[in-house]
Amino acid sequence: METNPALQLLRIVEAYGAIQRQLEKLEKNSPERRRLDNAINTLDRLRNGDLRPQRDDLSFTTKGPLHAGR
């Protein structure tokens, strides 16, 4: 987890690209694909500010109510 706020968006973009490249290699219904889809959703929520990383245990908290369809 990037702790420097100035670099967080860059790290999210890098991770997103790496995951997308891996997704292209996987079958649609594979368990790994589902896990990577979940990772993409988490990156989207981090980028949008819906999640905030908690540095003490690397867990995440939501910023307000969860939005349907995300």
Side-chain angles (χ1 to χ4, degrees):
M1 179 56 65
E2 179 61 62
T3 58
N4 181 342
L7 295 176
Q8 286 177 349
L9 182 58
L10 175 63
R11 300 293 182 242
I12 289 170
V13 170
E14 290 172 342
Y16 200 94
I19 292 170
Q20 287 291 352
R21 287 188 296 277
Q22 189 63 29
L23 283 171
E24 292 171 1
K25 301 175 188 176
L26 298 173
E27 294 181 24
K28 290 196 182 268
N29 294 324
S30 73
E32 184 178 0
R33 184 178 187 93
R34 285 190 293 276
R35 286 190 293 272
L36 292 176
D37 284 336
N38 288 338
I40 289 285
N41 290 334
T42 300
L43 289 173
D44 284 339
R45 293 182 69 199
L46 281 169
R47 185 188 64 219
N48 294 334
D50 295 336
L51 289 179
R52 292 177 295 200
Q54 300 298 305
R55 293 172 59 186
D56 58 338
D57 62 359
L58 292 181
S59 63
F60 297 92
T61 59
T62 60
K63 182 179 139 185
L66 294 177
H67 302 286
R70 287 199 182 202

